[in-house]
Amino acid sequence: DPWILKTMKEDLFPYLQLVLVFQTAVYLFEQYLRVRQHVKFQERSLPIELNGIIKQDKFDKAQAYKRDQSSFGMVCDFIDFAESVLILSWFALPWLWNLSARVLESIGGPSDSEILQSFVFLSIYMLYGKLRSLPLELYSTFVIEQKHGFNKQTIGLFFKDLVLSLVLSVVIGGPIVAGLIKIVHWGGEHFYLYVWAFVMVVMLFLMTIYPNVIAPLFNKFSELPEGDLRTGIEQLAARLEFPLARLYVIDGSKRSHHSNAYFYGFFKNKRIVMYDTLLTQVNKDETIAILGHELGHWKFGHVTKNMVVASVQVFVQFFLFGKVMNSIPLYTSFGFDAATSYSVIIGLIVFSQILSPVNYILGLVLTHVSRVFEFQADAFAVSLGYSKQLQSGLVKIHTENLGNMNPDPWYSAYHFSHPPLVERIRGLKTAEQSMKYKKQR
């Protein structure tokens, strides 16, 4: 029976229907915001903040790029929404779980192994997801990005990255899934304490190995050569007492013309990474100003604060999961029978669905917090005396990357954890005026 008739017959609490109503409401609201932003991409007049800063032809190119991205994004949003509704309403996940058991039996595996069945289930679902998204990723990379001059990778490199990502997902994800299932069953009533500790260890482990082991599988890391730029960065780090250990440049240009910079590392072993594309887009002083912004995140402890929030979120969510993980009506509402209701992976999937409204609100809050952090880091760069250099550097980066130069305020506040150029320029000028006022007092 379709899910509506099944639910009516069994007189279940309508968990599934409420989830679908929520997903539909979010989809419609986000499409309203996307249409608002799409209309802004049709305009030819520069925002007041960018007059005299951005040339009209560069603005037109950025608008054309963003129109193409926006139109394609609408298609992707609809596909994602329709897929989610169909998977949930026609009980595709229970079917896939049962299929996983049959696959396991067919290859001679034990039919009662929850860990192996979960591994098969997640592998099939991951493979399906990759195959489903493959045409969209190919179109985005080799049509849209290629059209606007950003794509630098070959089709061979694209598929090499795809295969490598799948292998890493299995090699790293498999033991994590097995460990999670074991701990939930072993931990008893207070399993969430042990799961929380396990997840924290995994997070720290991945944060350690990603830049040192995983990222180098995709990009070449080279030491920044001696010269004025390296000297300037080292002087900035010494001025702020930032424990800089290494300075790297990565070959981002082999995949894309887009640019970026970041730092990583624990305690006294910090490392700064810059894309080679960034160094071709901005000059020495602008690069140092951009890194001044990045070190502002370190100075204010933004990374640590985000980790604390993530830690609390993980703890609370697993605590709540423990309260509902044995609720048979919850599982049957999503089409699972009693025999599979105690599977940890299935439980987490179902629980994530009913928790989606909470995660949605939390996501909005964290987006706002991230924007506040970005403005704080910008103000920190201003306090270092880099206001002009940071403004000119941001203008060059957004010009070269064809960033969003005409944002809709609602769309920006909802989606952008990093404020667009117009808001960054406005915030930098405000910070500059505030600093001048403080000096006058």
Side-chain angles (χ1 to χ4, degrees):
D1 288 339
W3 61 272
I4 294 180
L5 294 178
K6 182 178 175 67
T7 304
M8 290 173 63
K9 288 178 181 178
E10 298 183 6
D11 194 27
L12 299 174
F13 185 81
Y15 292 110
L16 174 58
Q17 291 90 327
L18 291 176
V19 167
L20 291 173
V21 168
F22 176 74
Q23 288 187 356
T24 302
V26 170
Y27 170 74
L28 292 175
F29 179 65
E30 290 184 346
Q31 291 314 295
Y32 165 71
L33 294 180
R34 190 179 278 282
V35 169
R36 284 178 60 100
Q37 180 61 80
H38 197 77
V39 170
K40 296 288 287 184
F41 289 146
Q42 310 293 330
E43 297 177 358
R44 293 212 62 220
S45 300
L46 278 83
I48 295 174
E49 292 86 351
L50 302 185
N51 276 326
I53 298 177
I54 300 291
K55 294 181 179 180
Q56 184 66 48
D57 64 325
K58 294 293 186 180
F59 179 74
D60 292 341
K61 287 182 179 179
Q63 290 286 85
Y65 176 51
K66 291 302 177 184
R67 279 197 302 273
D68 286 349
Q69 281 191 322
S70 179
S71 298
F72 182 61
M74 290 181 185
V75 174
C76 293
D77 287 349
F78 176 76
I79 292 174
D80 290 341
F81 170 69
E83 177 191 49
S84 179
V85 169
L86 290 173
I87 285 176
L88 290 177
S89 60
W90 290 99
F91 301 143
L93 293 179
W95 175 84
L96 181 58
W97 179 253
N98 294 330
L99 174 66
S100 302
R102 293 195 297 273
V103 170
L104 192 58
E105 283 187 41
S106 69
I107 59 176
S111 59
D112 59 345
S113 173
E114 180 185 345
I115 290 178
L116 290 179
Q117 186 174 349
S118 298
F119 186 76
V120 174
F121 172 83
L122 293 174
S123 297
I124 295 174
Y125 193 68
M126 178 181 67
L127 185 60
Y128 158 75
K130 287 292 184 182
L131 292 174
R132 197 274 291 171
S133 64
L134 184 59
L136 300 177
E137 291 178 12
L138 287 169
Y139 184 86
S140 175
T141 302
F142 294 99
V143 177
I144 296 178
E145 296 294 303
Q146 190 86 27
K147 173 184 175 182
H148 294 278
F150 288 115
N151 178 49
K152 303 298 179 184
Q153 65 180 321
T154 63
I155 193 72
L157 181 59
F158 177 90
F159 279 102
K160 177 185 174 183
D161 287 349
L162 178 64
V163 172
L164 185 56
S165 298
L166 286 171
V167 171
L168 288 171
S169 297
V170 173
V171 171
I172 297 174
I176 293 174
V177 169
L180 183 63
I181 294 172
K182 281 286 188 183
I183 292 172
V184 170
H185 290 303
W186 167 82
E189 183 181 355
H190 302 292
F191 77 88
Y192 53 87
L193 293 172
Y194 307 108
V195 170
W196 172 79
F198 173 72
V199 172
M200 289 300 100
V201 170
V202 168
M203 284 176 58
L204 292 175
F205 173 71
L206 292 178
M207 289 174 65
T208 301
I209 68 166
Y210 177 80
N212 298 300
V213 179
I214 299 176
L217 297 175
F218 295 89
N219 290 97
K220 179 182 178 182
F221 285 64
S222 304
E223 282 280 352
L224 180 68
E226 296 292 338
D228 291 343
L229 177 58
R230 186 182 184 95
T231 300
I233 295 172
E234 290 173 341
Q235 289 174 346
L236 173 64
R239 175 184 171 187
L240 300 176
E241 298 182 349
F242 177 76
L244 177 62
R246 308 289 289 270
L247 264 172
Y248 289 122
V249 178
I250 67 171
D251 57 343
S253 58
K254 76 177 185 180
R255 288 184 177 81
S256 173
H257 187 61
H258 293 298
S259 56
N260 194 15
Y262 61 91
F263 73 89
Y264 69 93
F266 295 107
F267 309 114
K268 300 295 183 181
N269 189 30
K270 306 291 187 185
R271 305 177 186 195
I272 291 177
V273 178
M274 296 170 288
Y275 282 47
D276 55 357
T277 46
L278 176 68
L279 302 183
T280 65
Q281 294 172 1
V282 295
N283 62 35
K284 182 199 78 170
D285 292 337
E286 291 162 345
T287 302
I288 294 173
I290 291 167
L291 293 179
H293 164 93
E294 294 300 324
L295 297 191
H297 289 303
W298 165 77
K299 194 71 174 179
F300 289 116
H302 292 162
V303 174
T304 302
K305 290 174 182 176
N306 284 332
M307 288 183 64
V308 170
V309 170
S311 174
V312 173
Q313 183 181 0
V314 168
F315 179 84
V316 171
Q317 291 191 351
F318 276 104
F319 172 79
L320 294 176
F321 173 61
K323 300 300 180 183
V324 301
M325 63 181 292
N326 295 321
S327 171
I328 300 299
L330 175 61
Y331 293 82
T332 52
S333 176
F334 286 84
F336 293 95
D337 59 40
T340 60
S341 294
Y342 294 98
S343 164
V344 173
I345 293 302
I346 296 304
L348 287 171
I349 291 174
V350 171
F351 177 68
S352 69
Q353 293 294 333
I354 64 169
L355 200 67
S356 55
V358 176
N359 286 332
Y360 175 80
I361 294 172
L362 181 61
L364 294 178
V365 172
L366 293 180
T367 295
H368 174 73
V369 170
S370 177
R371 291 167 65 87
V372 171
F373 286 173
E374 289 302 313
F375 287 126
Q376 285 181 345
D378 278 350
F380 181 75
V382 171
S383 72
L384 296 176
Y386 294 132
S387 179
K388 295 279 191 296
Q389 297 92 330
L390 183 55
Q391 288 183 52
S392 61
L394 288 173
V395 168
K396 288 180 181 178
I397 290 172
H398 276 74
T399 300
E400 291 295 325
N401 289 276
L402 300 181
N404 189 338
M405 300 184 190
N406 196 28
D408 172 76
W410 286 24
Y411 186 89
S412 173
Y414 185 89
H415 282 290
F416 294 159
S417 59
H418 287 58
L421 179 62
V422 170
E423 297 176 32
R424 298 281 295 275
I425 295 294
R426 191 184 303 141
L428 284 166
K429 289 181 177 179
T430 300
E432 195 173 7
Q433 290 297 320
S434 177
M435 191 174 70
K436 287 180 181 178
Y437 177 72
K438 288 179 181 178
K439 286 182 177 179
Q440 290 173 356
R441 293 182 61 187

